[in-house]
Amino acid sequence: MKKNSLFLFYLISSLPFQVNATLQEALDSIKEEDYTFALKELNRLIDVEQNEEARYQLGRLYENGWGVEQDSDKALQLYKLSAENGNENSALKLGNAFYMGRGVEKNYADALKWYKISAQKGNYAAQYNIGLMLEEGTGVKKNIIKAFEYYKKSGEQGYGPAQYALGKMYLKGEGTPQNFNAAIRWHKLAADQGDFDAQMDLAKLFSNTSMRGLPYSMTGAHTYYNLVSAYATTQTLKDEASLRREEITKKMKPEEILEAQRRAQKWHKKSRSESIPALQGETFLDEDIPQKKSNSSKAEQEQIELTVKTDKETMLVAAGIGRKELNDAIKKNDFRPILTKLENTASSGNVIAQIALGDLYMLGQGLQSDESTALKWYTEASKKNNPIAFFKLAPIYCEGNVVDPDLAKCYMYVLLAKKYTDDNSAPFIDETLKMLDDSFDLEIRQTGEKLADEYNKIPENQQSQGLLAKIKSKFEKKDEIENDLVKETNKTSDSDDFFDF
């Protein structure tokens, strides 16, 4: 057997991490006030990759005097060059400069020009700013319908000020037909992000009995008056909310007051990405907004296509480890924080985290190498028929460091990887199979094929039990459906549906 060539695919995948600094690392360093690293990396990205986002971030450093002497002129030069090369954030900065007359002479036409360049690329702040100019007629002919369109583009991306503006327009029927349900929902999206004006308006809307069509909820009103009186940034607003709360408290039942207080205590401020209407699982009345499923992780999570040849760094990132977090672990040669994070995720059944854990233990970088534990996690991942896990198990059985050498099992795992793989991994697996076919005797290959055929088969004595289990589950499912119908029947049409506390 040609052992050296046999383990080539295993040794290549076990090389130490090689991590290059990225733009995200530079951004993380700015947050951590590590400006020395940020400056070095941003300049590298500009010089080597002509990265316009890096040029914009360098402009921010000069604008704010972070790690360099503050230089507004230098910042504007960087913004202008970056914007001319298509960077939406720099175009927004230039628009703001012309709108407010900062570093340049105030010029609404130039402000609108740069806002439009930024907005065309989907920048939600620029879209809102154009909407504001159109609504107020600032430097442009007033157009309330166009303003609504720009606010909507921005609001659909979760931008709180635009959402509040939309709520007011739906309430008054300005730029769009009047729609109280839509008004309440857009107000709520802005209120969830801590907009005190939106919270105050919501409280007034919920306690309004004079306008037909508005939902009436004293509990809802009390909740938002509580939030404004506790968190508003101006004393005037706090005092008004407290006074109005006391007025409606006299009309409420004790249990309603307790419920309102509970909701206010449970409330937490949401981010813009959490306030994108299409991810709320709610249908806006008369709004044609496509419903999207929210990713279990961050909405702006890095998209990674995994194959059996994916390097260990990328596998860790796919498992939820940040590149900066990984870079810090490599610098300190200490993977214990990452290990703890991965173990929690892997224990909950995440296959990618299980494979990443196996990689860490197999390599032993930043922690003691433990091939037995690596085997455990690869095996756990293989129970979900994951081709990457199968592919990583194969060389362990070929080499036999932590198990008795078993070439037939090694061959079996490569066959299983091929059986369950996708088009992206198939060429690598075919190449490995060809290598093994040239290296292994016919008897070993036939035994491996037999093991692969028998893998995951249900024993005959369990087949009847499985059939009974299926029949039983149907009856249980029927009971669940009937119970759900009872629950639905008991639901009221209270306007508190607008809350998700």
Side-chain angles (χ1 to χ4, degrees):
M1 184 180 67
K2 304 169 187 176
K3 187 169 182 178
N4 289 337
S5 62
L6 174 62
F7 297 115
L8 183 61
F9 77 99
Y10 174 63
L11 293 174
I12 289 174
S13 66
S14 299
L15 293 174
F17 294 121
Q18 298 293 327
V19 181
N20 293 320
T22 63
L23 176 62
Q24 186 57 52
E25 285 184 313
L27 298 180
D28 291 338
S29 296
I30 292 173
K31 290 179 183 177
E32 297 164 6
E33 299 184 8
D34 181 5
Y35 299 125
T36 301
F37 173 82
L39 279 165
K40 178 181 176 182
E41 179 58 14
L42 290 175
N43 278 298
R44 185 192 73 80
L45 288 167
I46 293 168
D47 295 339
V48 176
E49 301 179 17
Q50 288 75 53
N51 189 306
E52 297 306 329
E53 181 63 21
R55 200 186 307 275
Y56 160 72
Q57 295 295 340
L58 187 60
R60 289 182 65 225
L61 296 187
Y62 279 101
E63 180 184 3
N64 295 286
W66 295 338
V68 293
E69 186 176 346
Q70 189 173 22
D71 190 337
S72 298
D73 290 337
K74 174 73 172 175
L76 274 175
Q77 290 172 10
L78 288 165
Y79 290 148
K80 189 172 188 298
L81 181 56
S82 178
E84 287 171 346
N85 288 323
N87 184 270
E88 65 180 75
N89 293 318
S90 291
L92 174 66
K93 283 283 189 180
L94 277 182
N96 289 339
F98 280 109
Y99 186 88
M100 294 179 283
R102 289 182 180 173
V104 292
E105 187 176 345
K106 183 180 287 191
N107 187 315
Y108 291 131
D110 283 341
L112 186 62
K113 165 193 164 184
W114 289 110
Y115 283 152
K116 283 186 174 180
I117 290 173
S118 182
Q120 285 168 0
K121 291 183 175 293
N123 188 284
Y124 53 84
Q127 291 166 346
Y128 169 77
N129 288 345
I130 294 173
L132 188 63
M133 292 179 75
L134 287 165
E135 183 184 12
E136 297 179 347
T138 305
V140 65
K141 185 179 179 181
K142 187 172 182 176
N143 189 326
I144 200 72
I145 295 176
K146 276 286 184 184
F148 174 82
E149 291 174 3
Y150 275 102
Y151 283 149
K152 197 159 184 288
K153 289 177 183 178
S154 179
E156 286 174 352
Q157 296 188 72
Y159 194 47
Q163 291 174 338
Y164 179 44
L166 283 169
K168 291 188 293 183
M169 294 180 89
Y170 272 115
L171 184 64
K172 298 175 182 177
E174 294 179 348
T176 184
Q178 191 175 51
N179 186 322
F180 291 143
N181 280 306
I184 292 289
R185 293 189 185 280
W186 284 110
H187 268 88
K188 186 179 181 302
L189 286 169
D192 284 348
Q193 295 185 65
D195 189 308
F196 302 120
D197 290 324
Q199 290 175 349
M200 192 70 173
D201 283 1
L202 264 181
K204 293 175 182 177
L205 290 173
F206 280 127
S207 59
N208 190 314
T209 57
S210 60
M211 191 179 296
R212 291 175 61 85
L214 280 176
Y216 179 70
S217 172
M218 297 299 280
T219 304
H222 196 286
T223 299
Y224 282 111
Y225 282 141
N226 268 323
L227 293 176
V228 177
S229 64
Y231 302 116
T233 52
T234 65
Q235 193 60 46
T236 302
L237 204 56
K238 281 186 173 184
D239 292 342
E240 182 186 355
S242 296
L243 182 62
R244 287 179 177 270
R245 180 187 59 195
E246 294 308 315
E247 289 175 355
I248 67 170
T249 298
K250 300 171 185 177
K251 306 174 185 177
M252 297 173 66
K253 298 176 183 178
E255 57 268 26
E256 291 176 325
I257 298 170
L258 287 173
E259 175 61 17
Q261 291 172 341
R262 184 193 68 79
R263 289 177 179 179
Q265 289 170 358
K266 191 178 177 182
W267 182 86
H268 70 278
K269 184 178 178 180
K270 290 184 178 180
S271 65
R272 179 191 64 81
S273 60
E274 291 176 310
S275 302
I276 295 174
L279 302 181
Q280 302 304 306
E282 298 174 331
T283 302
F284 281 37
L285 195 61
D286 296 335
E287 299 267 322
D288 184 20
I289 299 177
Q291 297 297 308
K292 298 179 183 177
K293 290 184 179 178
S294 176
N295 207 323
S296 60
S297 183
K298 299 174 183 175
E300 298 158 1
Q301 185 180 12
E302 182 177 354
Q303 297 300 309
I304 298 174
E305 197 172 74
L306 299 176
T307 73
V308 295
K309 280 292 187 179
T310 296
D311 60 86
K312 290 176 172 57
E313 174 198 340
T314 306
M315 188 66 69
L316 284 166
V317 173
I321 304 300
R323 291 189 182 274
K324 182 67 164 62
E325 188 178 3
L326 178 58
N327 192 64
D328 290 343
I330 294 170
K331 284 179 181 178
K332 298 173 183 176
N333 195 33
D334 182 5
F335 276 67
R336 285 174 298 180
I338 286 179
L339 188 66
T340 301
K341 186 175 179 180
L342 280 177
E343 283 178 337
N344 290 334
T345 309
S347 297
S348 67
N350 186 290
V351 174
I352 304 305
Q354 291 168 350
I355 294 172
L357 259 182
D359 288 346
L360 269 186
Y361 277 111
M362 183 64 74
L363 184 62
Q365 181 164 344
L367 50 91
Q368 186 175 355
S369 176
D370 187 344
E371 294 185 16
S372 295
T373 305
L375 174 65
K376 165 198 161 185
W377 285 112
Y378 288 151
T379 303
E380 193 65 31
S382 72
K383 293 177 182 177
K384 303 280 183 64
N385 292 331
N386 185 282
I388 300 174
F390 286 137
F391 196 75
K392 288 180 180 288
L393 282 169
I396 294 177
Y397 281 91
C398 275
E399 194 168 67
N401 284 340
V402 294
V403 294
D404 292 333
D406 192 330
L407 300 183
K409 262 198 170 182
C410 172
Y411 195 70
M412 173 197 77
Y413 279 120
V414 179
L415 287 174
L416 290 171
K418 179 175 175 60
K419 178 180 178 181
Y420 291 103
T421 193
D422 56 22
D423 293 339
N424 296 315
S425 290
F428 304 121
I429 297 173
D430 288 340
E431 182 183 348
T432 302
L433 267 177
K434 185 178 184 305
M435 180 184 67
L436 295 182
D437 287 341
D438 293 341
S439 304
F440 288 170
D441 295 336
L442 177 62
E443 183 181 353
I444 293 172
R445 300 200 306 273
Q446 288 177 337
T447 304
E449 288 170 358
K450 183 180 178 182
L451 290 171
D453 288 339
E454 294 173 349
Y455 188 86
N456 268 350
K457 280 189 177 177
I458 302 173
E460 289 183 10
N461 64 349
Q462 292 181 16
Q463 288 179 1
S464 60
Q465 295 176 12
L467 180 60
L468 288 172
K470 284 183 179 179
I471 295 171
K472 182 181 177 183
S473 69
K474 285 185 179 180
F475 282 103
E476 289 176 345
K477 192 170 185 180
K478 180 183 177 185
D479 290 341
E480 288 174 6
I481 293 170
E482 289 175 350
N483 288 333
D484 286 342
L485 287 172
V486 172
K487 290 176 185 175
E488 288 295 328
T489 305
N490 290 334
K491 283 186 179 179
T492 65
S493 58
D494 194 308
S495 60
D496 292 349
D497 288 344
F498 291 109
F499 294 92
D500 56 3
F501 294 100

